[in-house]
Amino acid sequence: MAKGSYFGVNLATTDLDGTFERLVAGGAEVVQEPVEQPYGVRDAAFRDPAGNMIRIQERKAG
């Protein structure tokens, strides 16, 4: 399988900011910092060592 050809992974957390900070501190490659999306979540994106996209989402309260 070619590097980065995997579709990607979406994960959820109840603390996006904390998760983001832990991943950055661990040396993760940031693709997108946490941002509010119009479809009801905040999310951030990273690239794993094989080049695949990993998105982490947190639902908005309410």
Side-chain angles (χ1 to χ4, degrees), residues 7-59:
F7 179 77
V9 176
N10 290 328
L11 303 172
T13 182
T14 58
D15 180 15
L16 182 60
D17 294 322
T19 301
F20 181 84
E21 292 303 322
R22 284 190 299 279
L23 288 167
V24 168
E29 179 186 344
V30 176
V31 175
Q32 173 198 302
E33 294 191 10
V35 65
E36 298 281 339
Q37 299 291 356
Y39 45 87
V41 299
R42 288 181 68 230
D43 71 354
F46 298 88
R47 196 163 306 282
D48 75 7
N52 302 301
M53 180 77 68
I54 299 174
R55 298 193 75 80
I56 302 176
Q57 302 176 338
E58 174 185 35
R59 277 191 160 168

